[in-house]
Each structure stands twice: as C-alpha cells, then as structure tokens.
Amino acid sequence: MTSAVKSQKFSILFDWFDQGGDGQLTHDDLQAMAGLFAGLAAEDDHANAAAMREAFEEWWQLLLKHGDTDGDGQVSRQEFIAVMEANVTSPQHFEGAVLAIADALMKALDTDGDGVLNRDEYVRMYASLGVPPEHSEEAFKRLDRDGNGVISHEEFSTAISEFYLSADANAPGNWLIGPFTPSV
C-alpha cells in the first residue's frame, strides 16, 4: 500500500511528466521529458544524453507493462501512483529507471569534473526542466546537507532516493522538484 506521502509525491511527479497536460501519461510525454533532460547535456556529450533517453524509455516500458491496467496505451494518475510504488521503485527497477537518469544528469552537468553542483548550476538545471527558480533555490538549501554551498553526487543521489522511496514527510529529498507540504 502506498503511503499518503508517497502518493502525494508521485502525484506531483505525474503532473511534471504529463507534458501534454491531458491527465494521461503517454510515450510522447516520457519522450518529451527525456528530451528535456538530454538537452541539459553538452552538445557533444552523446553518452550522457543517450543514457538519459534510454533510462526514460525503460521507465516508460515499466509504466506500460505494470501500470497500464486497462490496456489503453496510457497511464492515468491512479495507475501511475500504483505502478510507482509496486514496480518502478522496487530494487530491481529503481536503479535502471530512476538512478540512471540522476547519474547521467549529474555527469552531464558536472562539466568541470569536480563531482558537485553549485547553486547556479542546480537552479539553471531545474529551470530548464520547468521548475521555477524560487522552488529550486529552496530545494538546493535543503539538499545541500552539509551546508558547504554545493550538492555532491552523493547528496543528489540521496535526495533522489528520498523523493522516490521515503515515506518520511520531512525528508529533504521531498523538495527535489519543488515545494513539498504534506497533506497528511
């Protein structure tokens, strides 16, 4: 059973992924998200752009296979929330479908190879993904756990894991894509 906190986060994620705004997730929606993420890589960074596209395709295949319960080729909000809890966030799928995107994204954005994202890089990244700067600036503060002014690969991975896996309403990772005020 999905916790209320996870349901709320997955509902927020659904709205972010629903690029067509029609209340249904389709292959086109996930391809559009993949394009946004891949577009953050440098023009010659084909490896990380491809890794993000492949991970989103894997995610779509999981959604379709395990979540499209009515067989219409789309995933409704209810189907999405159920499949996220039961399949996408399960250990055998989470790394390939979610953490693979985070890893490729971090590598693509860390152009100087120092293993961290500063505030400007983080805010710029999320602005390109449709998250308003005022949301990503607050998220940055919460995700920079050691307060050193940068988000390390480990801090970013922890935030991703918390967003998708934690039922703790106060987990900093809940702010990954914007404000999170639990309704529980």
Side-chain angles (χ1 to χ4, degrees), residues 109-123:
L109 295 171
D110 182 20
T111 56
D112 62 4
D114 64 357
V116 298
L117 294 176
N118 65 39
R119 180 183 308 274
D120 290 340
E121 290 169 325
Y122 186 84
V123 170

Side-chain angles (χ1 to χ4, degrees), residues 24-168:
Q24 295 286 327
L25 293 185
T26 64
H27 191 233
D28 288 347
D29 289 322
L30 273 282
Q31 284 185 324
M33 287 303 295
L36 288 173
F37 275 77
L40 293 170
E43 191 174 318
D44 62 346
D45 186 359
H46 304 292
N48 286 313
M52 287 184 266
R53 288 185 188 284
E54 289 166 16
F56 269 105
E57 183 60 29
E58 181 175 334
W59 200 335
W60 172 249
Q61 293 306 318
L62 287 169
L63 292 175
L64 198 58
K65 179 179 179 181
H66 300 287
D68 182 16
T69 57
D70 59 9
D72 66 355
Q74 304 179 97
V75 178
S76 70
R77 181 180 308 274
Q78 294 77 16
E79 289 172 328
F80 181 76
I81 291 169
V83 74
M84 287 299 295
E85 177 68 18
N87 298 98
V88 176
T89 59
S90 67
Q92 71 266 30
H93 299 300
F94 185 68
E95 190 168 325
V98 178
L99 288 182
I101 295 168
D103 288 342
L105 184 59
M106 187 75 176
K107 289 175 189 168
L109 295 171
D110 182 20
T111 56
D112 62 4
D114 64 357
V116 298
L117 294 176
N118 65 39
R119 180 183 308 274
D120 290 340
E121 290 169 325
Y122 186 84
V123 170
R124 204 170 29 252
M125 166 186 69
Y126 275 106
S128 296
L129 297 174
V131 176
E134 62 272 14
H135 295 174
S136 53
E137 287 174 6
E138 179 62 30
F140 184 90
K141 291 178 201 172
R142 293 170 186 264
L143 303 184
D144 178 15
R145 292 172 189 259
D146 59 11
N148 68 348
V150 295
I151 295 176
S152 68
H153 187 270
E154 182 179 330
E155 287 171 321
F156 193 56
S157 292
T158 297
I160 300 269
S161 293
E162 281 179 346
F163 182 85
Y164 288 95
L165 304 177
S166 178
D168 177 0

